[in-house]
């Protein structure tokens, strides 16, 4: 683990002491009333048990928590079906005609309205199709799809037949797909011909075809026709969704699975080059996401129109588009495209037209809207909104205030929610009818969750001090492990501070005891809310034929939070002159190589070619110094380097290329 870099950010945050209490009207009608903290924290396990009983169980559980560090089980002897909890129970209660999704495609006027009954029929057909393809409980299925209703149906169909899904973000390249499909040994892939990105049809099936050249275990590929673009077809393996799924019976008798049956795997970046397959359970996870969704977003299923503007390929889409909102039976907006497709006011048009009441998105998106100008939201009626949420990275006070006034009309509480792929659901947040949040602070642990900020020795820091964020006790939605690697699970999360979960984030406890999350303290970058590991990007860069060595750091960036900056040494004989065309060409080629090996989101913002990298005598690259260089800070201690002049040289190279940023 490297140093705790975010200290620099602390000083400016500490000047932020404004608070924004909810209105009396909001507070009075809120799902969470102040007594919730005392009730939950008096006996967290009993409180979570009460929450678990809001789900529909086929076999009621008798045990709540079993904790055998680092392995927890929750509600272990109960059985249930996740898709029944999301769909059947609402339909059975007479709410089948309620809209589950107002779906809005990227092309104008391409919309669908999907009720709970419609979604149940889609899911039943897909579940029948999976069973007809020989899928059994426990088999893994990969999903690589655009933001279309079939993506939700595919996930819930997997859940229905007990096959853990592994959703792979639609921006990942063929290599990244292959790694994930092989790591989880998936036997079926569900995809689409393509998806719309900024008006163009981008191929998805094509990436899957390339990936599957190295995944011989995949028996079938189900393909939704979305764009109508040309695709290659492998007879016997590939099946069209409209031919194979939509001709299946529209009812399906769901089986019940133990609470600890794995619901899904989600790959996320750690500190090594290979992503970790985080897996989640069924009963505990559903309890966590359903409860947090109900209290934090204050949802009223009869009247709210919720919009979680996140991709289904990330954990936010899993927890707060699929499993949380659907267990709670709310109506949602699902939008396929980018924020500026069809104009920079596209989101605000959607909110006006569908009368969205709750909006949940990421700081990077909020900052982008700020840059685009107030005229876009100002030209629409956003008065239907009553609550705003933020997730994915620390939100700077300026963006928080803009979000509150320009989007929320100074009326809507903001919930800044801290959590991770690993935690399954929200862990720290204001509660909208109770807390008077400070702009930029995640404030307090959710009821029933115990969090601390500790120093190197694991001792709680005093008010006004910074340290490492830890979770003190198991919680229902916690990851159950890293797929196929229990040791890495123990080592990564439970060994740094004995018996406590180490989140990898730095945090500060302010003078009132409220918590501010400052960002990662390990070698994980957060670019536009996407997690990337420095090692993963370095691995991709050194895979380029001309590259000898690379060091990657996350440097702060006004819009994306952090940006990837790479320091690269070329192989001897491959060197190029500074500022030459050859240099521009090799840099472009390295960036492209990263896009193809991982994803365009991992492309370095800047690549500095340097004849040497700063190393300690033991050969370790000093990333801390490179981060100083990338962020144009005074250089830290260089005395441990084999060659202290290297950093100054790189600093000069960086200054010479200051105008390269794009
Ligand atoms: C960061 C996304 C500050 C943090 C749900 C965490 C945040 C990582 C916040 C997890 C927040 C997320 N304030 N930082 N409200 N929310 N983070 O796994 O560094 O994609 O460790 O999960 O995002 O990212 P992940």
């Amino acid at each position: 683990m490297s140093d705790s870099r975010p200290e620099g950010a602390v000083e400016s945050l500490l000047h932020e002491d404004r608070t924004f209490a909810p209105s009396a009207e909001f507070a009075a009608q809120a799902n969470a009333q102040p007594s919730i903290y005392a009730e939950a924290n008096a006996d967290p396990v009993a409180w979570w048990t009460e929450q678990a009983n809001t789900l529909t169980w086929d076999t009621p559980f008798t045990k709540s928590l079993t904790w055998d560090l680092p392995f927890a089980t929750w509600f272990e002897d109960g059985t249930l079906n996740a898709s029944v909890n999301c769909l059947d129970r609402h339909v059975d209660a007479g709410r089948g005609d309620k809209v589950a999704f107002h779906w809005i495609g990227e092309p104008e006027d391409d919309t669908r309205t999907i009720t709970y009954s419609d979604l149940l029929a889609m899911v039943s057909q897909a579940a029948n199709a999976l069973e007809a393809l020989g899928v059994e409980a426990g088999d893994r299925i990969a999903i690589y799809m655009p933001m279309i209703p079939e993506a939700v149906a595919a996930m819930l169909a997997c859940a229905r037949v007990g096959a853990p899904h592994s959703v792979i973000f639609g921006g990942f390249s063929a290599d990244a797909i292959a790694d994930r499909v092989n790591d989880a040994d998936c036997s079926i892939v569900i995809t689409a011909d393509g998806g719309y990105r900024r008006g163009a049809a981008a191929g998805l099936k094509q990436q899957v075809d390339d990936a599957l050249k190295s995944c011989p275990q995949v028996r079938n590929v189900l393909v939704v026709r979305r764009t109508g673009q040309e695709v290659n077809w492998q007879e016997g393996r590939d099946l069209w969704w409209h031919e194979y799924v939509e001709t299946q019976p529209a009812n399906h008798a769901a089986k019940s699975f133990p609470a600890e049956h794995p619901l899904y795997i989600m790959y996320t970046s750690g500190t090594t080059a290979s992503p970790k397959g985080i897996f989640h359970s069924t009963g505990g996870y559903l309890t966590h996401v359903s409860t947090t969704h109900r209290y934090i977003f204050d949802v009223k299923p009869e009247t709210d129109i919720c919009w979680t503007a996140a991709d289904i390929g990330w954990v936010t889409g899993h927890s707060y588009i699929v499993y949380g909102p659907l267990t709670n039976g709310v109506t949602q907006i699902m939008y396929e495209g980018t924020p500026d497709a069809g104009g920079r006011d596209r989101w605000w048009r959607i909110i006006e037209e569908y009368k969205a009441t709750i909006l949940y998105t990421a700081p990077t998106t909020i900052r982008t809207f700020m840059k685009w100008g107030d005229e876009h939201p100002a030209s629409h009626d956003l008065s239907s909104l009553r609550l705003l949420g933020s997730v994915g990275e620390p939100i700077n006070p300026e963006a928080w205030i803009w979000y509150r006034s320009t989007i929320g009309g100074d009326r809507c509480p903001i919930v800044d929610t801290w959590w991770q792929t690993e935690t399954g659901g929200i862990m720290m947040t204001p509660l909208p009818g109770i807390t008077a949040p400070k702009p930029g602070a995640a404030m307090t642990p959710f009821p029933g969750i115990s969090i601390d900020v500790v120093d190197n020795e694991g001792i709680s820091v005093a008010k006004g001090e910074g340290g490492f964020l830890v979770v003190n006790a198991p919680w229902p939605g916690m990851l159950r492990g890293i797929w196929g690697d229990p040791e890495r699970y123990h080592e990564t999360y439970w060994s740094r501070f004995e018996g406590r979960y180490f989140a990898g984030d730095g945090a500060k406890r302010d003078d009132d005891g409220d918590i501010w999350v400052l960002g990662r303290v390990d070698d994980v970058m957060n670019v536009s809310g996407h997690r990337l590991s420095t090692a993963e990007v370095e691995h991709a860069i050194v895979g380029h034929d001309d590259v000898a060595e690379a060091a990657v750091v996350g440097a702060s960036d006004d819009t994306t939070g952090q940006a990837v900056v790479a320091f690269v040494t070329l192989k001897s004989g491959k060197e190029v002159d500074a500022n030459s065309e050859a240099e521009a060409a090799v840099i472009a080629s390295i960036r492209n190589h990263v896009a193809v090996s991982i994803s365009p989101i991992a492309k370095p913002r800047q690549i500095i070619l340097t004849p040497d990298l700063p190393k300690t005598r033991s050969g370790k690259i000093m990333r801390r110094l490179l981060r100083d260089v990338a962020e144009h800070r005074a250089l830290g201690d260089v005395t441990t380097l084999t060659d202290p002049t290297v950093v100054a040289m790189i600093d000069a190279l960086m200054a010479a290329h200051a105008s390269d940023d794009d």
Side-chain angles (χ1 to χ4, degrees):
M1 187 178 45
S2 52
D3 54 318
S4 68
R5 160 183 47 84
E7 277 305 304
V10 172
E11 296 314 315
S12 59
L13 286 176
L14 284 187
H15 297 305
E16 184 55 69
D17 51 10
R18 286 173 285 185
T19 59
F20 293 82
S23 68
E25 298 78 56
F26 195 102
Q29 60 82 60
N31 292 349
Q33 292 295 321
S35 58
I36 193 172
Y37 287 107
E39 283 159 19
N41 297 337
D43 186 349
V45 174
W47 188 77
W48 282 115
T49 301
E50 221 177 280
Q51 308 308 314
N53 279 316
T54 65
L55 296 174
T56 300
W57 295 84
D58 298 309
T59 316
F61 55 87
T62 63
K63 291 188 208 160
S64 292
L65 167 67
T66 311
W67 181 217
D68 182 9
L69 187 106
F71 299 103
T73 66
W74 285 85
F75 321 121
E76 162 195 315
D77 58 346
T79 69
L80 75 174
N81 184 293
S83 94
V84 167
N85 272 279
C86 289
L87 303 171
D88 305 59
R89 66 172 180 159
H90 306 308
V91 175
D92 293 347
R95 295 191 294 270
D97 291 338
K98 186 173 172 57
V99 174
F101 287 102
H102 292 293
W103 178 80
I104 300 140
E106 187 177 285
E108 297 287 342
D109 302 320
D110 184 4
T111 61
R112 288 160 73 182
T113 305
I114 298 192
T115 65
Y116 274 87
S117 295
D118 295 337
L119 191 56
L120 176 56
M122 288 168 75
V123 169
S124 299
Q125 287 183 322
N128 284 320
L130 292 176
E131 285 179 346
L133 292 174
V135 172
E136 290 175 9
D139 292 354
R140 276 83 56 207
I141 296 179
I143 297 176
Y144 180 70
M145 291 175 89
M147 285 285 288
I148 55 176
E150 285 78 7
V152 178
M155 289 166 70
L156 292 174
C158 291
R160 199 168 184 89
V161 303
H165 52 72
S166 165
V167 181
I168 301 168
F169 174 57
F172 277 127
S173 65
D175 287 355
I177 299 170
D179 287 348
R180 287 159 176 76
V181 166
N182 285 332
D183 187 77
D185 195 19
C186 298
S187 52
I188 307 269
V189 178
I190 307 177
T191 187
D193 49 358
Y196 290 101
R197 278 330 257 177
R198 297 181 208 282
L204 292 174
K205 168 77 164 55
Q206 181 193 320
Q207 299 288 341
V208 170
D209 288 341
D210 283 351
L212 295 194
K213 287 177 193 151
S214 46
C215 312
Q217 78 282 13
V218 173
R219 298 194 303 268
N220 292 104
V221 180
L222 281 168
V223 188
V224 175
R225 190 153 67 196
R226 167 64 189 131
T227 58
Q229 68 198 103
E230 283 276 314
V231 289
N232 289 327
W233 207 252
Q234 188 170 316
E235 283 307 327
R237 185 193 72 180
D238 300 346
L239 300 160
W240 282 114
W241 182 279
H242 58 271
E243 289 176 0
Y244 195 78
V245 175
E246 290 178 0
T247 50
Q248 299 282 339
N251 46 56
H252 174 269
K255 284 194 210 75
S256 203
F257 299 102
E260 284 297 317
H261 188 77
L263 181 61
Y264 69 82
I265 306 170
M266 167 111 260
Y267 284 85
T268 191
S269 293
T271 53
T272 70
S274 58
K276 303 175 280 196
I278 303 301
F279 70 94
H280 284 288
S281 71
T282 304
Y285 172 80
L286 285 183
T287 300
H288 189 159
V289 296
S290 176
T291 306
T292 47
H293 182 251
R294 190 156 57 237
Y295 289 123
I296 298 165
F297 299 100
D298 191 48
V299 292
K300 309 286 191 275
E302 297 310 314
T303 46
D304 273 319
I305 311 284
C306 306
W307 185 10
T308 294
D311 197 279
I312 213 102
W314 302 114
V315 75
T316 305
H318 283 49
S319 297
Y320 298 106
I321 295 176
V322 181
Y323 293 108
L326 295 178
T327 49
N328 289 334
V330 303
T331 295
Q332 294 187 83
I333 288 169
M334 181 175 179
Y335 168 57
E336 178 185 32
T338 49
D340 55 352
R344 289 181 164 180
D345 66 339
R346 186 72 187 270
W347 275 33
W348 319 122
R349 261 200 284 149
I350 291 173
I351 288 176
E352 179 172 32
E353 185 176 347
Y354 291 90
K355 301 204 169 7
T357 58
I358 297 167
L359 175 65
Y360 188 35
T361 188
T364 182
T365 313
I366 298 166
R367 288 193 293 267
T368 300
F369 287 131
M370 277 175 80
K371 272 208 296 207
W372 287 349
D374 291 6
E375 63 272 25
H376 304 295
S379 60
H380 295 281
D381 176 7
L382 306 181
S383 62
S384 57
L385 288 172
R386 66 181 199 90
L387 186 143
L388 303 173
S390 171
V391 60
E393 52 175 316
I395 180 167
N396 49 312
E398 191 193 0
W400 195 102
I401 296 286
W402 184 87
Y403 197 26
R404 178 172 162 99
S405 60
T406 311
I407 306 306
D410 286 319
R411 164 187 81 247
C412 305
I414 295 182
V415 288
D416 175 3
T417 62
W418 176 84
W419 58 294
Q420 308 177 297
T421 303
E422 293 87 340
T423 69
I426 297 168
M427 301 293 278
M428 214 164 27
T429 177
L431 283 177
I434 304 173
T435 318
K438 298 164 187 162
M443 301 297 291
T444 36
F446 184 75
I449 301 285
S450 173
I451 282 178
D452 203 353
V453 182
V454 299
D455 66 14
N456 252 319
E457 272 66 58
I459 301 180
S460 278
V461 301
K463 286 180 179 172
E465 303 276 304
F468 303 98
L469 200 60
V470 296
V471 186
N472 297 318
W475 64 99
M478 70 187 251
L479 75 165
R480 297 306 197 256
I482 296 177
W483 195 258
D485 202 344
E487 261 160 52
R488 189 177 177 191
Y489 166 64
H490 187 206
E491 161 70 24
T492 309
Y493 303 108
W494 299 96
S495 67
R496 177 76 176 77
F497 299 105
E498 186 55 40
R500 297 201 267 182
Y501 171 84
F502 173 51
D505 277 316
K508 181 98 185 172
R509 196 196 302 282
D510 72 14
D511 291 338
D512 303 317
D514 296 323
I515 297 177
W516 301 70
V517 180
L518 302 172
R520 304 291 306 192
V521 292
D522 54 12
D523 292 323
V524 174
M525 300 173 284
N526 190 332
V527 179
S528 298
H530 301 311
R531 265 170 77 164
L532 294 168
S533 88
T534 53
E536 205 176 348
V537 180
E538 283 166 5
H539 185 76
I541 294 177
V542 297
H544 186 283
D545 282 344
D546 296 349
V547 173
E549 208 174 18
V552 164
V553 299
S556 54
D557 183 280
D558 286 348
T559 305
T560 59
Q562 281 188 303
V564 180
V565 176
F567 299 86
V568 174
T569 306
L570 296 179
K571 285 182 183 157
S572 70
K574 297 286 183 184
E575 296 97 339
V576 288
D577 290 334
N579 300 315
S580 63
E581 270 178 36
E583 185 192 52
V586 75
I587 287 175
S589 156
I590 294 169
R591 293 180 86 230
N592 187 49
H593 186 75
V594 174
V596 172
S597 320
I598 307 174
S599 163
I601 58 176
K603 275 199 292 203
R605 181 189 70 185
Q606 202 175 11
I607 293 178
I608 308 294
L609 297 181
T610 162
D612 228 330
L613 290 167
K615 290 192 191 140
T616 60
R617 290 184 183 89
S618 60
K620 192 171 176 301
I621 295 173
M622 292 283 282
R623 282 200 187 69
R624 177 173 57 76
L625 292 172
L626 291 173
R627 209 149 50 208
D628 288 342
V629 171
E631 294 183 339
H632 312 293
R633 264 196 307 272
L635 298 177
D637 179 22
V638 296
T639 52
T640 56
L641 296 180
T642 40
D643 179 0
T645 62
V646 169
V647 196
M649 177 205 51
I650 296 176
D651 202 25
L653 281 170
M654 180 93 190
H657 287 79
S659 55
D660 287 355
D661 297 24
D662 47 298

